[in-house]
Amino acid sequence: MTEVKTIQKANIDIQKIRTDFPILSRKVNGKPLVYFDNGATAQKPQQVIDAIDNYYKDKNANIHRGVHTLSQEITVCYENARSTIQKHLNAKHSHEIIFTSGTTASINLVASSFGKKFISKGDEIIISAMEHHSNILPWQVLCEEKGALLKVIPINDSGELLMDEYKKLLSDKTKIVAITHISNTLGTINPIKEIIELAHAKNIPVMIDGAQAVPHTSVDVQALDCDFYVFSGHKLFGPTGVGILYGKEKWLNEIPPYQVGGGTIKTVTFEKTEYADLPLKFEAGTPHIEGGVGLAVAIDYVNEIGLSKIAAYEHELLIHATDALQKIEGVKIIGTAKNKASVISFVVDGLHPFDIGTILDQLGIAVRTGHHCTQPLMKRFGIQGTIRASFAFYNTIEEIEEFIIGLNRAIKMLK
Amino acid sequence: MSIEETEHEIIEEFETFDDWMQKYEYIIDLGKSLPLIDGKYKTADHLIKGCQSQVWLHSEKKEGKVFFTADSDAIITKGMVALMIRVLSGHTPDEIMNAKLDFVEKIGLTQHLSPTRSNGLVSMIKQMKMDAIAYKAKN
């Protein structure tokens, strides 16, 4: 890669940032890696890698259990991580932060535990047409179990929610609304504040799937007033296998535990178990300790750069890539919402996304191809799949130019 | 020509390519020239679902040998399918069942056979062998 330009407007030191991510200097198929699959998972800065390394070299012990020094040290470390996440989301209490294995696990927890207590026959659950399968299936399973109904907010051709239709769907039967903050396929940023307000006006709780949002934007759960907010660590430059469920204290106290076992209890007899207080009630078994610790380090890293700077920089990348793609004959961008994160899905006339992805891979360019775990959304647009380029703050204008050259080459080869 | 001989022939062809571009251009050409599968076989029954690309496969047995026709919605997958058909079609069920197909590794295209690739090709090879087993069982 030649000299990396700094986007002046966004004012972030891209050269320095790139050196923090060791993987960015590797080659793929003999070419410098251009990593545009950040929507699937983000790369990790050295600081996060060091935290995981250091955990095993110097800190490994089980948490919340031992009287010995190592156990106490790592318990403090893990609970500090929880506080870091609490502050990052501006949650009221640190016990409102539940460690899970990821977004999928968090949604399954909410659907299962909330569903057990609050969903019965004839009730309705609202999701949207742009949900990831992970925010469809848990609700679908719950509906089948309880005889409840899944209602879907439709979208327009730009990939924006039809808010009037949403208003019509909200009824006395609605028991929960589960919506993505940012679409993984389209990049659409949904008006979640308004969505939450409209639901709350009818006393309906709202769960927000923030998997794609947390790497790009700051989230204030109290300002949003959302009831549940879920995300994964690995898309936020943290380790894989760790995720977060934020829940309002009130709800977390009301809903039953999801998985039970070690750590979730106060007392156990064969007749009756008294469960532990929050957050341990929802954290059965030995958790992904280094994952939680690493995630807090990732959050500190992101905050040091500043999420508003990151958002501004990524917006520049998005605009540049969108302009360049629109100039290529036969390219159609899927998802043209006014309010978009740095995710671009597109199709090329007469060509299969898989073929384009394969050629780009030969050029060292990593994009995602396929249905992106949003098959109902693909059906809505009448397509089998797309090619998706999703950017992080360590990507550059030069990489976008490489990608455009590669795409033109792929089109030429395949046509 | 035996299965091994065809594999060897393909390996020799690929040795003449200088870079990945030539290799993929060749596969793309193969994909474009794969004889069309009869429309009546392009049904859900014949569809091998991959996560990314789809493959339709039809087989029939004539004079003790199994013949395959296939199609895919992705051209590179189709080219790979054409290679598989060139190697396996026209052989006895036993020969097909026992084919190791290590030419794929030798021509540097193993990534297309990795389980993560999900392009339908791994499933297609499995189906070709299953068909061969089924024909053998019928005898």
Side-chain angles (χ1 to χ4, degrees):
Chain A
M1 186 117 287
T2 50
E3 197 193 337
V4 181
K5 270 186 225 160
T6 304
I7 298 176
Q8 290 304 326
K9 222 154 95 184
N11 191 27
I12 75 174
D13 188 350
I14 191 73
Q15 294 269 29
K16 190 198 161 293
I17 285 169
R18 285 184 69 86
T19 59
D20 287 337
F21 291 80
I23 204 170
L24 296 180
S25 57
R26 74 159 276 184
K27 290 190 169 180
V28 167
N29 293 317
K31 318 277 188 316
L33 167 67
V34 173
Y35 188 76
F36 284 173
D37 196 17
N38 295 287
T41 195
Q43 299 304 345
K44 323 301 173 197
Q46 188 63 50
Q47 289 83 336
V48 169
I49 299 166
D50 287 345
I52 296 166
D53 192 49
N54 182 253
Y55 169 77
Y56 284 111
K57 279 184 182 157
D58 194 47
K59 294 197 160 56
N60 180 48
N62 212 331
I63 55 163
H64 298 142
R65 284 166 178 80
V67 293
H68 61 82
T69 304
L70 281 183
S71 175
Q72 288 180 13
E73 277 178 11
I74 194 60
T75 300
V76 169
C77 198
Y78 194 68
E79 290 308 318
N80 283 344
R82 197 189 303 274
S83 301
T84 300
I85 295 154
Q86 175 210 347
K87 286 185 198 102
H88 185 66
L89 297 177
N90 191 32
K92 203 166 176 184
H93 310 288
S94 69
H95 59 252
E96 291 176 320
I97 304 298
I98 311 294
F99 282 111
T100 67
S101 66
T103 306
T104 301
S106 297
I107 299 174
N108 273 280
L109 190 162
V110 177
S112 171
S113 292
F114 183 90
K116 241 178 224 162
K117 179 102 188 235
F118 293 107
I119 303 290
S120 40
K121 197 168 191 264
D123 285 344
E124 293 178 359
I125 294 164
I126 296 180
I127 60 168
S128 87
M130 65 174 84
E131 299 309 317
H132 188 283
H133 293 165
S134 290
N135 197 29
I136 302 175
L137 272 59
W139 304 110
Q140 208 169 46
V141 167
L142 175 63
C143 284
E144 278 165 17
E145 260 173 35
K146 299 275 188 168
L149 286 170
L150 200 59
K151 296 282 176 179
V152 183
I153 311 168
I155 55 171
N156 63 21
D157 291 340
S158 302
E160 294 161 321
L161 293 175
L162 297 176
M163 292 299 282
D164 286 340
E165 297 299 318
Y166 169 54
K167 286 173 202 162
K168 283 186 220 158
L169 288 176
L170 286 166
S171 78
D172 296 345
K173 289 180 183 167
T174 313
K175 287 295 179 300
I176 190 165
V177 176
I179 291 282
T180 189
H181 191 164
I182 293 179
S183 158
N184 70 310
T185 305
L186 308 172
T188 310
I189 303 173
N190 286 321
I192 54 166
K193 181 122 178 70
E194 192 188 345
I195 288 170
I196 293 163
E197 277 168 9
L198 286 164
H200 282 182
K202 300 199 168 185
N203 290 319
I204 301 161
V206 180
M207 188 211 80
I208 302 292
D209 170 357
Q212 296 292 331
V214 285
H216 306 294
T217 180
S218 55
V219 172
D220 182 332
V221 291
Q222 289 193 76
L224 286 170
D225 199 26
C226 58
D227 302 277
F228 300 100
Y229 194 98
V230 301
F231 64 92
S232 298
H234 71 98
K235 293 189 206 286
L236 184 52
F237 315 97
T240 55
V242 68
I244 296 298
L245 160 64
Y246 157 81
K248 276 184 188 164
E249 183 184 42
K250 168 182 102 114
W251 289 115
L252 293 177
N253 276 328
E254 276 198 61
I255 64 177
Y258 175 48
Q259 291 174 326
V260 290
T264 61
I265 52 97
K266 271 183 186 158
T267 57
V268 177
T269 63
F270 284 115
E271 290 73 35
K272 178 82 188 154
T273 293
E274 193 188 347
Y275 287 103
D277 294 329
L278 296 174
L280 300 184
K281 173 183 166 186
F282 291 103
E283 295 181 351
T286 297
H288 185 3
I289 304 170
E290 77 281 22
V293 173
L295 175 55
V297 173
I299 287 174
D300 284 341
Y301 180 87
V302 164
N303 283 332
E304 203 168 304
I305 302 171
L307 271 163
S308 58
K309 277 187 188 174
I310 286 173
Y313 177 76
E314 288 176 347
H315 188 69
E316 299 287 323
L317 295 178
L318 176 73
I319 299 293
H320 191 88
T322 305
D323 287 349
L325 278 172
Q326 277 167 340
K327 286 187 192 123
I328 302 176
E329 202 189 317
V331 166
K332 188 184 173 202
I333 293 174
I334 306 294
T336 49
K338 279 177 219 89
N339 206 2
K340 251 185 94 165
S342 55
V343 173
I344 308 185
S345 257
F346 63 95
V347 290
V348 184
D349 256 358
L351 298 182
H352 197 288
F354 170 80
D355 290 328
I356 291 177
T358 302
I359 301 293
L360 288 175
D361 176 53
Q362 288 297 315
L363 294 163
I365 301 164
V367 292
R368 177 88 185 264
T369 61
H371 53 62
H372 316 295
C373 296
T374 54
Q375 285 183 4
L377 183 63
M378 295 294 100
K379 203 174 162 196
R380 162 66 179 75
F381 282 98
I383 51 179
Q384 287 282 333
T386 73
I387 302 137
R388 182 189 71 182
S390 49
F391 311 123
F393 56 77
Y394 44 64
N395 290 130
T396 66
I397 295 283
E398 285 72 16
E399 286 182 311
I400 290 172
E401 280 161 10
E402 286 293 324
F403 159 67
I404 296 293
I405 292 168
L407 179 61
N408 276 312
R409 202 161 157 190
I411 293 171
K412 204 175 149 201
M413 277 178 79
L414 292 162
K415 273 260 156 93
Chain B
M1 204 182 279
S2 74
I3 286 181
E4 287 74 25
E5 281 164 355
T6 315
E7 288 190 57
H8 188 70
E9 194 181 75
I10 293 171
I11 293 163
E12 282 187 337
E13 281 168 22
F14 273 75
E15 274 168 0
T16 63
F17 301 138
D18 295 331
D19 60 12
W20 71 271
M21 283 258 307
Q22 287 181 358
K23 200 151 80 180
Y24 274 89
E25 272 163 359
Y26 179 70
I27 293 166
I28 291 162
D29 283 343
L30 280 178
K32 286 176 182 164
S33 60
L34 180 70
L36 292 178
I37 189 172
D38 192 322
K40 70 180 174 195
Y41 299 127
K42 233 176 137 175
T43 59
D45 292 354
H46 291 81
L47 179 65
I48 299 164
K49 279 191 180 169
C51 188
Q52 303 253 343
S53 56
Q54 298 176 320
V55 175
W56 291 267
L57 177 72
H58 171 69
S59 66
E60 53 192 34
K61 200 174 152 197
K62 271 186 251 164
E63 294 159 8
K65 289 172 179 170
V66 186
F67 293 85
F68 296 100
T69 48
D71 196 3
S72 173
D73 53 354
I75 197 77
I76 293 173
T77 307
K78 213 168 152 180
M80 294 295 294
V81 166
L83 281 176
M84 289 301 161
I85 288 180
R86 182 169 150 199
V87 171
L88 293 179
S89 201
H91 290 280
T92 66
D94 274 327
E95 287 167 346
I96 294 167
M97 281 157 56
N98 296 325
K100 291 197 189 73
L101 302 174
D102 35 16
F103 78 101
V104 183
E105 193 189 333
K106 292 191 176 124
I107 61 175
L109 291 170
T110 26
Q111 80 261 34
H112 289 279
L113 292 181
S114 75
T116 55
R117 206 69 197 184
S118 309
N119 59 0
L121 201 65
V122 176
S123 312
M124 189 189 81
I125 294 170
K126 207 167 142 196
Q127 190 60 49
M128 287 169 115
K129 294 203 168 197
M130 295 279 281
D131 284 6
I133 292 169
Y135 285 124
K136 194 186 173 189
K138 269 189 207 164
N139 278 347

